[in-house]
Amino acid sequence: MSTRLKLIFWTCISILAFLEFGEASNIGICYGRNADNLPSPNKVSELLQHLNIKFVRIYDANIDVLKAFANTNIDLMIGVPNADLLAFAQFQSNVDTWLRNSILPYYPTTKITSISVGLEVTEAPDNNNATGLLLPAMQNIHTALKKAGLHKKIKISSSHSLAILSRSFPPSSATFSKKHSPFLKPMLEFLVENESPFMIDLYPYYAYRDSDEKVRLEYALFESSSQVVDPGTGLLYSNMFDAQLDAVYFALAAMNFKTVKVMVTESGWPSKGSPKETAATPDNALAYNTNLIRHVIGDSGTPAKPGEEIDVYLFSLFNENRKPGMESERNWGMFYANGTSVYALDFTGESTVPGPVSPSNSTTGVSPSPGDNSNSTVTIGGGGGRKWCVASSQASVTELQSALDWACGPGNVDCSAVQPNQPCFEPDTLLSHASYAFNTYYQQSGGSSLDCSFGGVSVEVDKDPSYGNCLYMIAPATDGMNRTMAGNITGNITAIDSPLASPSTSNEGFRQMVVSVAVSVLLPCFVVSLSLFL
């Protein structure tokens, strides 16, 4: 009896630990020092403690910085510069000496939790050489840490640019560039073996800046009122950050590395730029970073991974006056070198933010293509005209059925009107039923061209397809009058192709799922345990 009781009790405890109720996403900040006018590391440490920042990334292992963060309980990610990769990859003794002189004297008083080896090596001028050195350097660091008994406490990885992907949109079609395969696959195997995250730097700002206005500013700033659909999955994206992050998830899955955790090691928005960089303003920087913080601490995850924890490091703490390139490169900081703030960022994410500001963002009525990563809504009919979305008569039966199944399933369309004895059942054809479902989704989602893509098996029309008692929905904003639908309207929809997701992709649905699991699994577990005492 005692053995059975212990077994059941520890099974319950194991399930509880597995659910990880208290775990949440984290916001950190990048402390770059490519400037000649910054405050001392001690002053910086004081500032970060005052801001209650718990996670900080630096780009080397500067001794003065390591000393400044002693006894602060701040998790510190340190870096190995690209210039050191050759020495670290060539000889184990070089790494052993580095660890002995630059890390061990300050650990664990300074809480070093991870090492990022190399910086966006695929973008380095000699990238072929840098990528070839990356894994050997990581392996030698791991060996050195293992000798010191720290390989389980300090994670090793490497941060990458999104350019490591050959394509990033639609997210479900994202893949890593084939030219990087020789180093990427063994590096990912190293990460899996050592339970380390894949590190990526995500910058919606660059995608917006370089898109020739095909990407809407609101979409890049988390302030879009409409959504972009991934035609491959039907997933809807209201911001570019999620689309970029999901592209990384899908690219990893395509290489059979679905379990690798992804960490965003840089993301931010500049407050000043060259004359052509009109979106680089303090207001837009404040909006992006505030909305990003809210998104992360809300634990909403992404459309492809709702509820997934996302650890993000904001770039960056200070403006860095020695960085080369365009004006924006020197103005990513939240603080000036004298310690005053560039804009009043609330790291709790609770403050209100201004709307997007950009003189160049005045174009409206532009019809985007999915490859644009844009969410702009088409101006229908030249200004207020009605449009509907129907199935294409040129589509194959297989494609239509697949799209219809998605619309009536993950797409959250109420398809009861096309069931037997309902107003839109006749004619009982796949083309007719799909047209009704496509249009309902199209109108509920805002009526943009992207909402009528369905993988190319649908078209927009300007003639009302309603017939008899089967009335096709049209959004009130373009119709101007109330209209009775044959089916029920479920309101705004968000398609999530995941059994863990609620229609809104909010973390509340995920939390409810966790509570449900707890009640259905843990409660009986403990009841059984209690019964053995009686």
Side-chain angles (χ1 to χ4, degrees):
M1 179 71 71
S2 176
T3 301
R4 290 178 59 196
L5 175 60
K6 289 179 180 179
L7 178 60
I8 295 174
F9 176 77
W10 285 113
T11 299
C12 293
I13 293 298
S14 298
I15 295 173
L16 184 62
F18 174 77
L19 290 175
E20 298 178 327
F21 282 98
E23 204 160 338
S25 303
N26 297 309
I27 282 285
I29 197 163
C30 298
Y31 169 25
R33 305 190 329 278
N34 195 358
D36 55 20
N37 56 357
L38 298 182
S40 69
N42 286 330
K43 292 293 185 182
V44 174
S45 176
E46 291 174 7
L47 172 64
L48 291 169
Q49 291 177 77
H50 175 73
L51 294 172
N52 200 32
I53 300 295
K54 300 296 185 184
F55 303 88
V56 174
R57 179 188 183 188
I58 62 175
Y59 294 85
D60 53 20
N62 181 274
I63 292 176
D64 291 333
V65 175
L66 296 183
K67 288 180 178 178
F69 281 91
N71 301 307
T72 62
N73 203 37
I74 290 175
D75 283 18
L76 198 62
M77 178 193 301
I78 66 173
V80 174
N82 290 348
D84 293 339
L85 289 179
L86 178 59
F88 276 46
Q90 276 189 325
F91 300 108
Q92 181 67 53
S93 59
N94 290 337
V95 181
D96 293 343
T97 300
W98 171 79
L99 187 71
R100 183 171 60 252
N101 295 337
S102 300
I103 305 299
L104 296 183
Y106 314 103
Y107 182 91
T109 307
T110 297
K111 193 178 176 184
I112 300 168
T113 56
S114 58
I115 301 173
S116 179
V117 185
L119 177 63
E120 298 185 351
V121 293
T122 59
E123 302 304 298
D126 57 343
N127 61 74
N128 289 334
N129 186 45
T131 56
L133 297 172
L134 184 61
L135 183 58
M138 294 170 70
Q139 291 170 329
N140 285 345
I141 293 172
H142 180 267
T143 298
L145 289 174
K146 192 171 184 179
K147 292 177 183 177
L150 299 177
H151 61 294
K152 297 291 186 181
K153 298 179 180 180
I154 300 177
K155 298 297 182 182
I156 305 169
S157 189
S158 178
S159 63
H160 301 279
S161 160
L162 192 64
I164 197 172
L165 302 181
S166 60
R167 61 180 300 179
S168 61
F169 196 88
S172 62
S173 298
T175 56
F176 289 106
S177 176
K178 290 183 179 179
K179 66 181 179 181
H180 300 317
S181 297
F183 93 92
L184 187 58
K185 188 175 186 295
M187 188 200 72
L188 288 170
E189 291 171 347
F190 174 89
L191 298 183
V192 170
E193 182 179 353
N194 294 285
E195 299 179 348
S196 294
F198 179 77
M199 297 177 172
I200 192 77
D201 299 339
L202 300 182
Y203 284 104
Y205 170 75
Y206 289 128
Y208 168 76
R209 187 193 69 182
D210 300 334
S211 70
D212 297 325
E213 298 184 1
K214 294 177 182 178
V215 173
R216 293 295 294 269
L217 181 59
E218 293 84 357
Y219 183 61
L221 293 177
F222 293 87
E223 296 185 343
S224 173
S225 59
S226 57
Q227 297 165 314
V228 175
V229 64
D230 182 329
T233 59
L235 296 176
L236 300 179
Y237 292 89
S238 60
N239 66 80
M240 184 177 291
F241 178 87
D242 279 352
Q244 291 182 338
L245 184 53
D246 272 355
V248 176
Y249 286 134
F250 279 109
L252 287 169
M255 290 187 66
N256 295 318
F257 289 98
K258 296 181 180 180
T259 61
V260 175
K261 180 179 174 61
V262 176
M263 175 184 289
V264 179
T265 39
E266 287 183 13
S267 192
W269 197 279
S271 62
K272 183 180 179 182
S274 67
K276 293 184 178 181
E277 296 179 291
T278 54
T281 67
D283 282 343
N284 288 342
L286 173 61
Y288 179 83
N289 285 319
T290 298
N291 291 329
L292 176 58
I293 291 171
R294 289 174 177 170
H295 188 57
V296 171
I297 64 179
D299 282 333
S300 58
T302 67
K305 286 184 174 277
E308 181 84 0
E309 299 160 22
I310 309 171
D311 293 342
V312 177
Y313 286 78
L314 301 178
F315 188 87
S316 66
L317 186 58
F318 294 108
N319 286 339
E320 299 174 75
N321 66 353
R322 295 180 60 186
K323 295 189 72 173
M326 299 180 71
E327 182 67 19
S328 61
E329 291 301 311
R330 294 173 287 282
N331 290 279
W332 288 85
M334 292 150 204
F335 291 89
Y336 294 108
N338 62 9
T340 60
S341 59
V342 178
Y343 46 87
L345 180 64
D346 177 6
F347 285 89
T348 68
E350 295 176 356
S351 63
T352 58
V353 296
V357 177
S358 173
S360 67
N361 192 51
S362 59
T363 302
T364 58
V366 178
S367 178
S369 66
D372 296 333
N373 258 17
S374 169
N375 72 319
S376 57
T377 301
V378 177
T379 301
I380 298 174
R386 303 174 185 175
K387 281 204 173 184
W388 294 261
C389 176
V390 298
S392 170
S393 59
Q394 305 300 314
S396 71
V397 171
T398 301
E399 291 173 327
L400 273 182
Q401 187 64 60
S402 177
L404 176 61
D405 291 343
W406 179 87
C408 296
N412 272 4
V413 171
D414 183 346
C415 294
S416 59
V418 297
Q419 300 303 310
N421 301 318
Q422 296 302 312
C424 299
F425 177 70
E426 297 290 347
D428 182 14
T429 65
L430 180 59
L431 190 69
S432 177
H433 293 177
S435 292
Y436 176 85
F438 292 174
N439 182 70
T440 303
Y441 176 86
Y442 170 76
Q443 302 293 350
Q444 292 177 168
S445 299
S448 81
S449 293
L450 289 177
D451 300 319
C452 187
S453 63
F454 291 96
V457 299
S458 54
V459 294
E460 287 178 298
V461 297
D462 54 13
K463 182 178 180 180
D464 190 345
S466 301
Y467 58 93
N469 292 325
C470 181
L471 302 180
Y472 274 57
M473 178 186 182
I474 188 165
T478 59
D479 189 275
M481 60 183 177
N482 293 327
R483 183 163 186 185
T484 303
M485 278 195 62
N488 295 322
I489 302 175
T490 58
N492 293 331
I493 64 171
T494 301
I496 298 298
D497 189 17
S498 168
L500 302 183
S502 67
S504 65
T505 72
S506 69
N507 62 313
E508 182 58 30
F510 179 74
R511 294 185 191 282
Q512 290 177 0
M513 182 279 296
V514 173
V515 171
S516 175
V517 171
V519 172
S520 62
V521 177
L522 290 176
L523 184 58
C525 194
F526 282 110
V527 167
V528 172
S529 299
L530 181 62
S531 68
L532 294 177
F533 280 110
L534 302 177

